[in-house]
């Protein structure tokens, strides 16, 4: 029987070159959540930085993690953490950028396709094709004109977006906490109304 642990994984790429790009919004949300707890991420032996915490005393343990590798290799360290801490795929929450949502929109879902997202593809592959994990989809909007999507998500947020970004990260962090505290359906009802 699996443990009651949750793993919250924020997707992105390593290093200062990518740290403030649209593709790294998942890692930014994990930083927001960890900052609320006055904690910091520590390196592990599996290629990820991680910290454990609880929403409240006696509540389920939450493991917050970001991969130290590139987006398309996210699945391996996440799978290793899941195996080590006995996390069921149904208790995995993956936070990622979503070009099919307008900037500032946040949507929650369980399962479904990866929509061309290389981080999600890597996770699904390392879970043996299991897609039964929860996604916190943080909208970054579609690229303008004919700009390539890969180039677009590797750019920093615009000046106007940067002004609104702290609130977006806060709302996405709240969404994660709602999922863990109240369940996915209740969290969707709350988050999708905003």
């Amino acid at each position: 029987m699996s443990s009651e642990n949750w793993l919250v994984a924020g997707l992105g790429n390593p290093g200062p070159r990518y740290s403030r790009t649209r593709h790294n919004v998942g890692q930014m949300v994990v930083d927001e959540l960890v900052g609320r707890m006055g904690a910091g991420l520590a390196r592990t032996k599996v290629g990820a930085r991680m910290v454990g915490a609880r929403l409240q005393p006696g509540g389920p343990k939450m493991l917050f993690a970001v991969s130290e590798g590139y987006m398309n290799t996210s699945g391996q360290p996440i799978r290793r953490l899941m195996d080590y801490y006995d996390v069921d795929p149904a208790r995995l929450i993956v936070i990622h950028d979503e070009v099919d949502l307008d900037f500032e929109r946040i949507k929650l879902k369980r399962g479904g396709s990866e929509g061309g997202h290389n981080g999600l593809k890597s996770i699904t592959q390392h879970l043996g094709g299991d897609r039964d994990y929860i996604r916190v989809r943080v909208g970054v909007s579609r690229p303008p004109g004919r700009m390539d999507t890969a180039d677009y998500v590797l750019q920093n947020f615009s000046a106007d977006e940067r002004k609104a970004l702290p609130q977006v990260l806060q709302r996405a962090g709240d969404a994660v906490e709602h999922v863990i505290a109240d369940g996915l359906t209740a969290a969707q009802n709350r988050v999708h109304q905003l």
Side-chain angles (χ1 to χ4, degrees):
M1 184 172 166
S2 292
S3 71
E4 297 299 303
N5 293 341
W6 288 86
L7 175 58
V8 179
L11 298 188
N13 287 310
R17 176 181 173 193
Y18 299 107
S19 65
R20 303 312 292 171
T21 63
R22 294 178 178 93
H23 221 22
N24 275 42
V25 74
Q27 290 189 358
M28 293 178 206
V29 175
V30 166
D31 289 340
E32 158 73 20
L33 284 161
V34 170
R36 293 178 185 185
M37 298 166 194
L41 298 170
R43 296 187 86 174
T44 67
K45 294 180 180 179
V46 300
R49 291 179 296 124
M50 190 203 80
V51 66
R54 296 183 194 275
L55 276 179
Q56 68 245 357
K61 185 171 186 180
M62 300 176 300
L63 308 163
F64 297 98
V66 298
S67 171
E68 292 188 302
Y70 286 93
M71 181 70 80
N72 62 348
T73 64
S74 301
Q76 186 172 38
I78 289 172
R79 177 59 192 256
R80 287 177 174 169
L81 289 172
M82 291 174 70
D83 288 345
Y84 186 82
Y85 290 100
D86 194 24
V87 176
D88 188 274
R91 296 176 83 85
L92 169 64
I93 301 173
V94 178
I95 311 163
H96 65 92
D97 59 304
E98 179 58 74
V99 296
D100 288 331
L101 289 176
D102 291 339
F103 177 70
E104 296 188 76
R105 297 291 308 277
I106 297 166
K107 294 280 187 181
L108 308 173
K109 76 172 190 173
R110 180 184 296 281
S113 78
E114 292 80 23
H117 196 290
N118 289 332
L120 296 177
K121 286 180 184 177
S122 177
I123 292 168
T124 299
Q125 177 189 357
H126 281 86
L127 293 181
D130 190 344
R131 293 182 167 98
D132 192 36
Y133 53 91
I134 296 169
R135 298 100 185 271
V136 177
R137 304 162 63 217
V138 182
V140 296
S141 300
R142 284 215 157 267
R146 295 175 181 247
M147 181 185 286
D148 182 69
T149 300
D151 292 337
Y152 172 73
V153 296
L154 292 177
Q155 290 182 350
N156 290 342
F157 286 97
S158 71
D160 285 343
E161 288 170 337
R162 284 196 297 272
K163 290 176 188 172
L165 188 58
Q167 185 180 31
V168 173
L169 301 179
Q170 184 176 27
R171 287 178 38 236
D174 292 346
V176 171
E177 291 186 351
H178 293 321
V179 169
I180 293 169
D182 307 318
L184 178 60
T185 301
Q188 286 172 320
N189 289 338
R190 186 166 187 170
V191 171
H192 294 178
Q193 290 177 359
L194 299 177

